[in-house]
Every structure is written in C-alpha cells, then in structure tokens.
Amino acid sequence: MTAQGDSAALAARPAPATLGRHGRLSTLEQSEFDIAKAYLPGGALGGNALAEDAKFVFAEAKGARFKDTSGNQYVDYCLGSGAMVLGHAHPAVQQAVIDQVAKGTHYFAYLNEPAVKLAAQVARHVPCVEKLRFTVSGSEATFHAMRLARGFTGREKIMKFEGAYHGHHDYAQVSTAPKRESNFPEGVPDTGGIPKGARDTLLIARYNDLDCARQIAEANRDDLAAIIVEPIQRIISPQPGFLAGLRKIADDVGCLLIFDEVVTGWRLALGGAQEHFGVMPDLSTFGKVLGGGLPVGGVGGRADVMDQCDPGKKGQEGFVYQNGTLNGNPLGMAAALATLAELEKPGTYERLFAIGETLRQGLRKLLARHGIDAAIVGYGPMWHLLFGAKGEPRDYRDIQATDGKKLVAFDTELIRQGFFVLPGNRRFVSLAHTDQDLEASFAAFDAACRKL
Ligand SMILES: Cc1ncc(COP(=O)(O)O)c(C=O)c1O
C-alpha cells in the first residue's frame, strides 16, 4: 500500500466522528498521563509539553495521520519535527527496517553494507560533501561540525544567528530564543548549565543582515573558526544574496561556512538548501529527513576538513575525535537508504512544494473569511502562522514582534480540533498529505478560527 493509501486507510477506520479530542479521554490514556507525571520531569520526554486539555499519548501513526490512546485522530503538521517527509510508517521504510532487523541491528561503529551505500548516496546528492561521518542526532552533527571547524582553523569562535537552533549542546544553546534583546555579538544563554568558556566562544549576529555579520567577522578575524547558519532560519527565508554574502565573508576572513541542513536537507531538494539556493558551504550537517524517522544525523563537507577525523591520525597534532557507539547504525542506515530511494523518484519535490502551497492558500482564505489579523508564511514544505504579522519575517526580532501568546492559544485549540502542530513552532507538510487530509485540516482550522 502507498503512503497515501495508508493515510486514507487510517482516515477510513471506525473512529470518533470528527477529528480531534473534544474532551474524549480513555482511562488508558489518563493512566499513561499519571505514570508520565510520576516518572518524567514535567510529564514530558523532552522540552515540549502540551497543555492539559490538549495533551495526548501517541498510539499509532500512518501517512499524515495519527491516533492517540483514546482513539482520537489527528492530521500531523509536526511530522517528527520535520523528519517524516514521506509520512509515518511508509511501507518502503518499514520493509527496509524489517529486512535489516533480521540481519542484526548493531555492529558498533564499524563498516557495514548499508552505511557504506548511504555514504556514497549522501555524497552524490549533497554538493559540498566529499567525505562525511554519520551521527545519531542533529545536535551531534552540529557539535562535531563546530569541533572540526575549530580543529581545522586553530581558532575558537563560532558565529551563529539570533533565533537559530542548532541543537541541545553547550555551543548551540545560546540566543536560540532569547527573551531579551542583547547587543550583537553578545549572546543570551537559553539554559542553565552552560560554562562561561563555551558561551564566550559564540558570537551572535542578526540573520539576513550582511553588514552585521561582516562587522562581527572582521572584528574577530583572527579568532573566528566558522559561521554556522540555518539556510532557512526556522521559518525565515534568506533574502536574495544573504547566503552568498556569508560565503564571501567566510572567504574574506578565512573561516569555514557551515550550513546546518538538519531541517532543510532532503526537504527542499535532494541536495538540500545548498542545491536549492546554489551556495556551497564548507561543511553541512544532516538529521531529521535523512533517517526516515530513525535516529540518523551526519556531518560532511570538504575532504581536507573531514580527514582530520581519520582514525589513522589518532595521537597526531590536528586529529579531531569523532565517534559514537551508534554511528552508522545499520537500522538507521537501512531506513535512510529506503527514504532517499523514495525521494529520488521524479516529481517528488514539485509535489511536496505544491502540497505546501495548497495548504498555505487554503489557510489564508480561512483567515481572511474570519477577518483574523494573522499571516500564513513559509517556504515550500515549511510553513507557519504569525498573529499580527504583515508578511514574511526577515529576522528573529520580526517574529518576536508578533503575538506569540495568541499563537500558542490558537495552536492548542487546533490540537483539540485534530490539527496537530507543536504550539508556537514552525510546521511542515509531507508527501503523504492527501486532498482528504487537507480538507479535514481546513475544517479543523475553520473550527479553531470560529472559537478564536
Ligand atoms: C536546524 C537544526 N539543527 C539541529 C537540530 C538538532 O537536532 P536533534 O534534535 O536531532 O538533535 C535541530 C532540531 O530541531 C534543528 O532544527
């Protein structure tokens, strides 16, 4: 069955008459909430927890839809935070994982067939990748990209952009979502526990502002190891010339340019944002889509930079350590190969972009019909809703100027209506979103607008 067929099959199952929770809570799901509350800090698996009257426990997911353990059904626009570009439980990915399970699930980080195949495949797709290493998450990928850049240049500082997210480690959790405005390049830590030494290595610039980036880069030219950028920062598209301008700044000061393609990799094109926007970084990081829902990340790029982690150089000056028990794990590699094979089919990205556009148009019509002062923004298969925005944001502060509290309240209502988004966060579409899924979503969105 195709992913579309799966989604339609789940849609057709006997289920509550309407999408969404509408107060339906089984004793099973209530007991799961109780256990989660007792044993997991905040009753959550990570940094994201839903409001009491919108929270749920995932039971099963297929295509663009999932069910909670009370039997309520949702259309998914969070999609594993962007990972599930084929939709959930895609048959080809399932089969690849099942086949690999029978051959063994863990060979430590040693060469194995699917990992070798995948390395060649990634290098074939992604313009900057001459060599690469696999990781298990996007955070590990950006952590290692930064370490490789420091090792290669012998410099310590990394420039990142205000509002950019590069993962959970100490070199990334600065000015991802600052509550106060700092003066560039000063950063604001997003969490307790970051040593001052790590924090002091980060220089914060304004996204889409080449003058700001150049000024900071030139003032720190002897210390700057790399500029790391999300080519599309959260939901903010690069202004024409911005990414090429960063390439020029990096060349002028002799630092590396890192594209964090954990979100944009295989979501915008097989070659990611670097192919889509035609700008070549020195290093690129991967995650999310690559693993097809299994834990796979990676860092790749110029051979001279990547060769620093050649284990034959252990003990030599300039060696950079990159390792992990689950690097190149065959299960993840098999899922990734199956995912890329699906994405390579002709017309994939045209279809993905068209689904994104149909959704945006439909939601804009509903906002206009209800006279709601909000904008549907975004690019291709990524979109967002911003209350009080007049158009596409240019930087983090533009987003801060919109009504974030209203957005979270509206998103929470969307979830109750069966339209799943991570409240306040950017959202996605998948290739599995059928016309039927979009129609059901428009009805849920319409109901949320009426409540507003
Ligand atoms: C651009 C970007 N980089 C890095 C990461 C970190 O990836 P992970 O959550 O897999 O560690 C994320 C996660 O959302 C991301 O969006």
Side-chain angles (χ1 to χ4, degrees):
M1 191 183 282
T2 63
Q4 288 206 351
D6 275 342
S7 189
L10 188 53
R13 274 186 205 185
T18 49
L19 219 52
R21 293 200 68 80
H22 306 291
R24 287 183 291 256
L25 176 62
S26 64
T27 48
L28 168 66
E29 198 172 26
Q30 182 57 59
S31 78
E32 288 165 339
F33 289 149
D34 295 342
I35 294 168
K37 201 166 177 181
Y39 297 111
L40 299 166
L45 290 173
N48 301 305
L50 298 172
E52 280 299 313
D53 58 346
K55 69 183 185 182
F56 58 82
V57 176
F58 270 92
E60 59 174 310
K62 278 195 171 64
R65 298 194 182 209
F66 65 88
K67 269 187 180 176
D68 65 24
T69 54
S70 295
N72 302 306
Q73 202 175 117
Y74 308 77
V75 179
D76 193 0
Y77 291 97
C78 174
L79 293 160
S81 186
M84 307 310 299
V85 75
L86 300 180
H88 296 282
H90 189 281
V93 180
Q94 279 185 53
Q95 195 56 53
V97 171
I98 290 166
D99 291 348
Q100 184 57 46
V101 166
K103 297 182 199 164
T105 57
H106 196 353
Y107 312 133
F108 190 33
Y110 282 109
L111 289 179
N112 62 74
E113 239 182 312
V116 170
K117 270 194 200 150
L118 186 64
Q121 188 93 323
V122 170
R124 192 159 60 76
H125 284 169
V126 185
C128 83
V129 173
E130 293 173 334
K131 293 195 177 177
L132 71 148
R133 275 289 172 79
F134 293 113
T135 62
V136 178
S137 68
S139 295
E140 282 177 82
T142 62
F143 175 86
H144 285 297
M146 291 184 193
R147 181 186 276 175
L148 282 158
R150 290 196 206 94
F152 187 76
T153 58
R155 304 171 180 178
E156 286 216 334
K157 292 195 171 160
I158 305 282
M159 184 195 296
K160 80 175 275 288
F161 294 91
E162 187 182 48
Y165 185 81
H166 300 295
H168 52 62
H169 55 82
D170 288 349
Y171 301 95
Q173 279 290 308
V174 175
S175 289
T176 65
K179 295 285 173 280
R180 69 172 171 87
E181 286 192 5
S182 63
N183 288 326
F184 302 115
E186 184 207 337
V188 181
D190 298 288
T191 167
I194 299 187
K196 187 170 177 308
R199 187 172 138 189
D200 288 350
T201 61
L202 288 162
L203 300 167
I204 309 302
R206 189 198 288 266
Y207 185 76
N208 268 332
D209 183 342
L210 282 176
D211 289 342
C212 176
R214 178 169 287 282
Q215 217 172 15
I216 295 169
E218 285 180 352
N220 294 274
R221 63 188 313 144
D222 296 334
D223 294 330
L224 192 62
I227 301 171
I228 186 167
V229 62
E230 288 184 81
I232 291 182
Q233 182 174 296
R234 309 284 81 195
I235 200 60
I236 313 170
S237 290
Q239 293 293 304
F242 177 65
L243 298 174
L246 292 182
R247 174 70 275 171
K248 172 95 176 55
I249 293 171
D251 291 342
D252 289 349
V253 302
C255 74
L256 300 188
L257 179 62
I258 305 169
F259 275 8
D260 180 351
E261 297 237 33
V262 167
V263 169
T264 50
W266 293 278
R267 181 160 272 284
L268 295 182
L270 288 175
Q274 55 201 273
E275 175 193 319
H276 190 79
F277 294 116
V279 177
M280 185 90 127
D282 299 295
L283 291 179
S284 185
T285 59
F286 318 114
K288 301 205 191 258
V289 168
L290 180 59
L294 270 82
V296 178
V299 51
R302 277 169 47 182
D304 54 349
V305 181
M306 294 305 300
D307 275 340
Q308 293 175 106
C309 56
D310 171 349
K313 294 184 178 163
K314 233 180 231 174
Q316 292 174 22
E317 185 142 4
F319 171 67
V320 171
Y321 187 72
Q322 195 283 331
N323 200 9
T325 300
L326 287 159
N327 281 9
N329 173 266
L331 268 194
M333 301 291 105
L337 282 171
T339 301
L340 299 195
E342 288 300 310
L343 293 175
E344 281 178 347
K345 290 182 177 166
T348 292
Y349 289 94
E350 288 81 354
R351 197 151 68 77
L352 190 59
F353 274 57
I355 294 170
E357 201 44 43
T358 306
L359 182 79
R360 274 190 293 269
Q361 300 281 0
L363 298 182
R364 279 181 192 134
K365 272 190 202 146
L366 289 169
L367 288 175
R369 188 183 302 158
H370 289 276
I372 293 171
D373 175 22
I376 299 286
V377 300
Y379 188 77
M382 299 151 73
W383 65 279
H384 205 356
L385 167 66
L386 296 173
F387 283 96
K390 293 297 164 237
E392 297 289 332
R394 280 178 62 111
D395 64 22
Y396 172 76
R397 294 181 189 188
D398 280 353
I399 292 185
Q400 284 304 94
T402 65
D403 194 338
K405 278 198 180 132
K406 198 167 181 177
L407 176 63
V408 169
F410 184 78
D411 284 349
T412 304
E413 182 56 36
L414 278 180
I415 297 171
R416 286 193 287 261
Q417 298 292 341
F419 185 120
F420 182 55
V421 294
L422 189 59
N425 276 268
R426 161 209 47 192
R427 35 221 76 181
F428 302 90
V429 294
S430 76
L431 289 159
H433 279 76
T434 60
D435 290 347
Q436 196 185 8
D437 293 325
L438 294 185
E439 283 310 317
S441 307
F442 292 142
F445 195 87
D446 189 39
C449 287
R450 261 183 271 124
K451 287 223 170 172
L452 189 79

